[in-house]
Amino acid sequence: MIDIHCHLLDGIDDGAKTFEESVEMARLAYEDGIRHIIATPHFCSSFMTERTVQLHKIARLQRELDRQGIAVTVSPGSEVRLESAAYVYEHADRNHFFYLDAARRFVLLEQRWCGYSEDTEQVVKWFLEQGTTPIIPHPERHPFFRDNAQLLTNLIALGAWTQVTADSLLGKNGTEAEAFGRWLLKHDHVHTLATDAHNTVRRPNLSDGFRVVAETAGEHRVQQILECMNSIVAVQNRS
Ligand SMILES: [Fe+2]
């Protein structure tokens, strides 16, 4: 399995605090059946992670994982927050954040927590025009999507994908997130599953999430989601 959303790198956002914790998270991911992690630190007004710092941390971590025989590949990504359309366009133009793959076919495009951004449809269309599919992380955790699912289904109709967090399906992000996550599954609105792991407690765990997918939407849906996830790393960054 591949994890497309993980705060694996230490000391650059609210994810892993130490290098040792990064290694331990990768080990837990490996034990869960994950073989590729896209390290996606926050890219937002409060955490403007620099590309060179991120690449340096990935290279160091990959060396240690290789040395310890933990067979997990780590590649760069970003969790880009839609602070505003202007914010996204400016930083895309300056090449400040990472897409999920070297060919820029996918990007993780997060909503603010304070409310739905009215710029979203415009930004989704902008990415799609450039051949990039925006993936909306954890919509089940945002009250405005739960209260008005059409905000989300409109984005899906445009061509956006969704990423539901495995922990939400397990009830770890509250009953409302769990219920909406399962509703999205039943209505075929889930394209990918990810861990959004931040540490060894809020840890990498995909297999339990896929068990819920199988129970809720059937084994064929598990396969469809895995195919979507695998397509993201068909051509991958190793820079
Ligand atoms: Fe995240």
Side-chain angles (χ1 to χ4, degrees):
M1 290 185 291
I2 161 187
D3 188 8
I4 67 163
H5 182 174
C6 183
H7 300 265
L8 178 69
L9 303 176
D10 62 294
I12 51 179
D13 64 358
D14 57 348
K17 291 212 167 20
T18 63
F19 182 67
E20 290 68 29
E21 190 168 30
S22 296
V23 174
E24 181 61 10
M25 285 171 72
R27 193 182 64 73
L28 291 169
Y30 180 81
E31 288 175 359
D32 192 53
I34 294 165
R35 297 292 178 265
H36 188 134
I37 300 173
I38 306 181
T40 54
H42 291 289
F43 188 92
C44 58
S45 52
S46 46
F47 293 113
M48 302 278 281
T49 306
E50 281 194 33
R51 284 174 67 100
T52 49
V53 172
Q54 190 171 339
L55 288 174
H56 183 76
K57 283 182 180 285
I58 288 174
R60 181 184 178 214
L61 178 60
Q62 189 71 65
R63 276 197 303 275
E64 182 63 13
L65 298 183
D66 294 348
R67 192 186 71 78
Q68 292 196 25
I70 300 170
V72 172
T73 299
V74 183
S75 63
S78 299
E79 183 178 15
V80 181
R81 187 168 298 162
L82 211 172
E83 303 281 13
S84 68
Y87 176 88
V88 173
Y89 299 161
E90 180 191 339
H91 292 293
D93 195 44
R94 295 186 180 190
N95 209 22
H96 281 170
F97 57 74
F98 285 102
Y99 292 65
L100 292 179
D101 60 310
R104 300 187 169 196
R105 293 171 303 125
F106 296 95
V107 69
L108 213 49
L109 183 67
E110 185 196 34
Q111 287 289 316
R112 297 168 303 173
W113 291 94
C114 58
Y116 180 71
S117 169
E118 297 299 328
D119 290 352
T120 306
E121 290 200 9
Q122 180 195 334
V123 175
V124 163
K125 286 178 191 165
W126 183 82
F127 273 120
L128 288 167
E129 281 165 11
Q130 298 173 66
T132 301
T133 299
I135 303 179
I136 316 290
H138 44 63
E140 78 284 357
R141 296 183 57 208
H142 292 285
F144 45 81
F145 283 140
R146 296 196 297 249
D147 293 344
N148 183 2
Q150 199 171 356
L151 288 177
L152 184 65
T153 55
N154 285 346
L155 302 177
I156 295 169
L158 287 174
W161 282 14
T162 64
Q163 174 260 297
V164 164
T165 296
D167 271 356
S168 296
L169 297 176
L170 303 173
K172 293 183 182 175
N173 291 317
T175 53
E176 289 173 300
E178 180 182 5
F180 192 52
R182 288 173 185 251
W183 182 89
L184 290 169
L185 271 177
K186 283 184 182 145
H187 290 81
D188 282 351
H189 292 321
V190 181
H191 303 81
T192 66
L193 226 59
T195 70
D196 196 10
H198 279 64
N199 47 55
T200 53
V201 178
R202 193 176 165 187
R203 67 194 183 100
N205 178 13
L206 272 184
S207 56
D208 287 338
F210 272 111
R211 263 192 285 283
V212 176
V213 176
E215 287 163 18
T216 310
E219 188 60 36
H220 71 288
R221 197 70 196 123
V222 171
Q223 294 307 320
Q224 284 175 343
I225 291 174
L226 285 171
E227 275 176 32
C228 286
M229 290 162 62
N230 289 335
S231 73
I232 295 169
V233 290
V235 185
Q236 192 47 253
N237 294 354
R238 284 304 301 259
S239 53

